[in-house]
Amino acid sequence: MRRSLLLSLALLLLVPAAARAETITESYRVPTVGGAQVYVEVTRQAGVQSPVILTYSPYNVLGEGQETQDKYGDRYVPRGYARAVADVIGTRNSSGCWDYGGAAEQQSGVDLVNFLSRQSWSNGKVAMIGGSYDGTTANMVAARGADVPGLAGIVPIAAISRWYGYAYSHGVRYSGNSQRPTDEGVDTPLAFDFGFGRTPPTDPSAIDAARDRIRPCDAVRHTLEGYNRTPDYDAFWRERDYRKDAARFAVPALIAHGWQDYNVKQEEGVELFKALDGSPFKKLFMYQAGHGSPPDAAFLPVLDAFFERTLMGRDSGIEAMPAVMTQGRTHAGNDAGFRAETAWPPAGASDLTLRLGRSATGGTLDGAGAGPSASYTDRLTGSEEVPQRALGAETQWLTYQTAPLAADVRIADAPRLVATVTANRSFGQLVPTLFDVDPAGSAVPISRGFLNLRYRDGLARAEAMPVGEPTPVRVTFKNQDWTVKAGHRIALVLESSNSAWAVPDLPGLSLEVASRSSRLMLPVG
């Protein structure tokens, strides 16, 4: 008996103190803007001075139980971290009004982080992590810079950095998609103003939250702004643009996003990474998947090192890790592994310029762009699938193709199209798609672009398209890491409705596209 007891005591001494401590879960109501209160649950080790891993979420109403006992709570609480999950203002057990990513919601996140950092059991450091909206709130709080001294780092996963870009692409309203319909989930503001923002609290004592659910708040304004057919980038959207405040991000950032995310488009993560020049350090982790989490096997070791450094203050080696980890893709599918880069776009990347031209057999993409102009008329039935099955038919689109490639071409970031077009009316859309075409003629979409022609000169104000006059326009495609293999062709399809992906305009737009002066620029690295 004595020998067994001594052995047990010896084994106990080998277990870290944090793992032996009692785990407790408690809740708080944090005072915030307009007299509202944010409800937050915390799971931590008793008697341990813990940094906080926080998720600020509107989705907690979808599941009950202790929200902190998730994959992050299970992984990090035994290591001495506290796990906190809070309800976004105006949802579940938090009172106030849902604010569609606006100033009130942002302030509530700031108040929440600073509150948690000041608790007696906290070591004063809070990191925010989450996917989709849950990661968007991390960007939202980090954009406040010095106002949130408790924030030590952010891990936005598949998150919005600019709310305008979630609803619109250069003035074109997104709808669904034909590649991965389940990516769409629920659309804001509709699902929130009339869904999550209306659901009653789960805590019977949350009387203020129950009362606030009855109020319409700003639902009408959200709807008008979120579904406008001429969506100027106005004060409403500037308030919800965290990327414009990238210089204020004062904490390290680990940004993760799927290259094939058709809900929160990949540019939301990639363009934020590019903009964060002032943060202590930044990392970009891009994976070939849709709207969801990165693969644990590759991502969690990076996340462990990030939290060790930012929250525990230990030398974890995170700063020496590659600035960018990216998983590429080809016509055949996803690359097996990840590629390390020192920057994005990759260092040494340059533009490959292909001019649009016409020959006797159809549209060409090369260095000359010879041949006459060509035109098409949109009948509102267009989608990328139709030309994908018959690129050369050109019934309500134009197709331009390279010759078979002599060597692999890696498209590493956002292609751009600069075209000279002549329209028969003052409004409409240009929605090009870039394809990878194998030797058998099978075409797979690489990336898509969207432009409301009334916003060809910027998003501040819609301006009529000149009728009958050659007019330069510019379309930026979605960022991508895609290698077109030798022997394949690169194809560009120009059309004016991609109905599976975006709300189309009225039928009847005719566009004439000039050769020579129109060009496709591919970032090759």
Side-chain angles (χ1 to χ4, degrees):
M1 176 72 74
R2 177 182 174 86
R3 182 177 180 181
S4 176
L5 179 60
L6 290 174
L7 179 60
S8 297
L9 289 172
L11 291 173
L12 184 63
L13 291 174
L14 295 176
V15 180
R20 300 197 306 269
E22 175 192 5
T23 299
I24 60 174
T25 298
E26 53 200 351
S27 63
Y28 301 89
R29 297 190 183 278
V30 182
T32 188
V33 60
Q37 292 185 326
V38 172
Y39 178 84
V40 57
E41 293 180 5
V42 178
T43 296
R44 60 184 178 83
Q45 301 284 2
V48 176
Q49 209 76 16
S50 300
V52 184
I53 298 173
L54 167 67
T55 297
Y56 191 29
S57 173
Y59 297 130
N60 298 327
V61 70
L62 297 175
E64 274 309 300
Q66 291 181 339
E67 305 298 333
T68 54
Q69 295 181 3
D70 60 358
K71 64 181 289 185
Y72 299 125
D74 292 344
R75 185 175 184 86
Y76 292 110
V77 170
R79 304 183 185 193
Y81 299 85
R83 177 70 175 125
V85 178
D87 300 333
V88 161
I89 186 174
T91 68
R92 195 172 176 250
N93 294 321
S94 291
S95 57
C97 290
W98 178 65
D99 192 34
Y100 194 13
E105 186 174 298
Q106 186 178 46
Q107 183 61 49
S108 70
V110 170
D111 293 338
L112 172 64
V113 168
N114 289 336
F115 174 88
L116 291 173
S117 71
R118 293 193 296 263
Q119 297 310 296
S120 60
W121 46 263
S122 170
N123 76 346
K125 296 180 179 180
V126 178
M128 297 185 72
I129 186 173
S132 194
Y133 205 124
D134 298 355
T136 302
T137 55
N139 290 333
M140 173 184 74
V141 173
R144 287 288 296 275
D147 295 338
V148 55
L151 191 65
I154 57 169
V155 188
I157 301 170
I160 298 166
S161 59
R162 184 173 179 257
W163 276 95
Y164 186 97
Y166 175 73
Y168 302 99
S169 182
H170 299 89
V172 176
R173 185 46 159 99
Y174 291 126
S175 57
N177 75 79
S178 56
Q179 294 290 306
R180 192 176 288 107
T182 55
D183 255 13
E184 288 306 319
V186 294
D187 188 23
T188 57
L190 187 65
F192 285 80
D193 277 307
F194 302 100
F196 295 134
R198 291 289 187 270
T199 54
T202 58
D203 181 357
S205 68
I207 305 301
D208 289 346
R211 178 201 63 212
D212 291 340
R213 287 311 103 84
I214 302 171
R215 295 193 290 160
C217 299
D218 289 333
V220 172
R221 186 185 182 201
H222 295 166
T223 301
L224 291 174
E225 293 279 359
Y227 302 103
N228 196 336
R229 295 305 301 271
T230 52
D232 294 352
Y233 176 78
D234 54 16
F236 179 88
W237 295 113
R238 285 192 296 274
E239 181 180 303
R240 292 159 174 82
D241 185 348
Y242 316 129
R243 205 187 309 162
K244 79 176 191 313
D245 295 323
R248 300 188 66 189
F249 283 52
V251 297
L254 170 57
I255 300 168
H257 217 112
W259 282 122
Q260 305 301 321
D261 191 339
Y262 302 129
N263 184 321
V264 178
K265 308 302 187 289
Q266 55 272 66
E267 68 193 70
E268 295 297 315
V270 176
E271 296 302 322
L272 176 62
F273 174 80
K274 292 179 187 178
L276 291 181
D277 290 332
S279 61
F281 66 86
K282 59 180 181 178
K283 304 291 178 182
L284 180 65
F285 190 96
M286 299 297 297
Y287 46 101
Q288 288 289 347
H291 189 60
S293 300
D296 283 348
F299 184 66
L300 287 179
V302 182
L303 185 62
D304 290 346
F306 183 83
F307 285 151
E308 280 281 302
R309 180 71 183 92
T310 59
L311 293 180
M312 294 294 191
R314 300 168 185 158
D315 183 4
S316 65
I318 182 68
E319 286 138 307
M321 292 181 182
V324 179
M325 295 295 294
T326 173
Q327 183 182 24
R329 187 180 176 98
T330 67
H331 188 286
N334 300 339
D335 291 351
F338 286 80
R339 185 171 182 167
E341 301 286 0
T342 59
W344 195 263
S350 60
D351 280 343
L352 171 63
T353 299
L354 302 172
R355 296 192 178 275
L356 279 61
R358 304 298 295 184
S359 71
T361 57
T364 60
L365 284 174
D366 54 31
S373 299
S375 62
Y376 67 88
T377 299
D378 179 53
R379 301 188 185 96
L380 205 64
T381 57
S383 70
E384 67 189 43
E385 288 77 20
V386 179
Q388 183 177 348
R389 292 191 293 267
L391 291 172
E394 296 189 314
T395 59
Q396 51 182 318
W397 67 87
L398 296 175
T399 299
Y400 299 83
Q401 297 189 70
T402 66
L405 300 178
D408 293 356
V409 171
R410 183 191 181 199
I411 299 170
D413 205 32
R416 288 111 56 213
L417 171 68
V418 177
T420 301
V421 301
T422 303
N424 69 330
R425 70 184 191 197
S426 62
F427 62 95
Q429 298 178 357
L430 178 59
V431 287
T433 305
L434 198 63
F435 289 95
D436 180 339
V437 186
D438 73 6
S442 170
V444 176
I446 299 172
S447 186
R448 300 162 188 86
F450 305 87
L451 174 67
N452 182 331
L453 294 173
R454 287 174 288 190
Y455 291 99
R456 66 197 177 280
D457 294 327
L459 297 174
R461 184 178 61 186
E463 294 184 359
M465 184 75 175
V467 178
E469 298 179 14
T471 304
V473 298
R474 182 186 182 96
V475 185
T476 301
F477 291 73
K478 303 307 171 191
N479 314 73
Q480 192 51 254
D481 186 353
W482 189 293
T483 298
V484 184
K485 305 298 286 185
H488 289 220
R489 296 173 182 262
I490 298 171
L492 171 68
V493 169
L494 302 184
E495 55 186 336
S496 288
S497 59
N498 192 351
S499 55
W501 290 81
V503 178
D505 216 318
L506 297 176
L509 173 68
S510 292
L511 280 185
E512 181 180 296
V513 181
S515 296
R516 296 185 181 88
S517 62
S518 300
R519 60 195 184 276
L520 174 69
M521 290 171 287
L522 301 177
V524 174

